[in-house]
Amino acid sequence: MANVRRPLAGIKVLAVEQYGAGPYATQLMAELGAEVVKIEAPAMGGDVSRATGPFFLGSADSQFFQTFSRSKKSIALDIKTPEGRAAFEGLVAQADMVVDNLRGDQPGKLRLTYDDLKGVNPAIVCGHLSAYGRGNSRAGWPGYDYLMQAEAGLMSLTGEPDAPPARLGVSMVDFMTGTMLAFGVVSALLSAQTTGQGCDVDVSLFDVALHQLSYPAVWAMNEGYKVQRLPRGAHPSIAPSQAVKTADGWGLVMCQTPKFWEALCDLAGAAALKADPRFADIPSRHANRPALSEAMDALFGTRTTAEWTALLGGKVPFAPILEMMDALDNPFVAEVGMRDVVAHPDRAEGLAMLACPVKIDGERMPGARAPKLGEHTNEILGAAS
């Protein structure tokens, strides 16, 4: 693994970041080879996620922090002081990017924009991730993932129809926005390397959350069509494409094309279901969704989830609905190497982590622990002076 090619090797990123969305973006870049340096104010205890429980690792470190800052470096530096600002600009002169995930009014106040830094480094790319964006009426508003799921309409689409609106089980808007930031700044870097001119790149939680409405939003804007929450998390257009009750649990089947419906009926020995005129084609199955749902439960109740997985796997799109620990212990997770253990000085047995989801030339990027607060201050600031 020592010879794994990392496509962002040689790229230097300065990160003024906190908590989840911004650190998620820079971690993606770090695991792909960028040198990511967290600029952490020591008087504030560094990144706030260092103090986010319930599970801690020695001083100013937590499992939450380790989740989002692996493979990075840390320097203790207050960029609000004259000395800290001078040291920061010395680093900017040698860097490729400066990224932050502050409120939208803060990059200007802290002089982190391209206009502020282009005199130091004309090719610098300045990435800004905020709750609501910069230069608008909400620029100074704090904001979090769950709020975006609410206001952007995602919660209205999630959950059972007779239950209250529900949020996604994890902060997916944070992660999607972080991914958008990584994509945006790396794209801008390609241009900067060609033209010698950097720029500002902005993404916001709100914009990304709204963007994730995708085709239901297109239907709504053009046709006034309101996508309703359907029982069992069903697809709005195709049936059966929903959760089904098995003999011992739950699964999810997706017959998105006629061939998969026919294959399901044939493999399950359900000739009568296949011949039923109510379910003859996609429009019929959609029109008769309640009856089809009952028929699906009756069919899938004849076997366990594991038996259905074995019968349908690779032939009909089907997946078991698993609890989180069962999902992590899935043999396929081990087969593809999506679990990792990284060395950590405060955990003798190492820290179990999820591996980087990106492969290069068939190799998954190896991980490394997140840094201690200020761990690389002397190394980096000494080299910059």
Side-chain angles (χ1 to χ4, degrees), residues 28-43:
L28 291 173
M29 293 188 282
E31 291 184 324
L32 288 173
E35 180 186 10
V36 176
V37 179
K38 293 177 70 74
I39 311 294
E40 302 192 71

Side-chain angles (χ1 to χ4, degrees), residues 220-252:
M221 290 186 292
N222 289 281
E223 309 300 335
Y225 182 79
K226 182 179 179 181
V227 173
Q228 304 283 349
R229 283 178 293 178
L230 297 171
R232 306 284 182 83
H235 191 280
S237 304
I238 308 294
S241 186
Q242 65 183 64
V244 290
K245 187 76 173 70
T246 68
D248 66 343
W250 293 88
L252 199 143

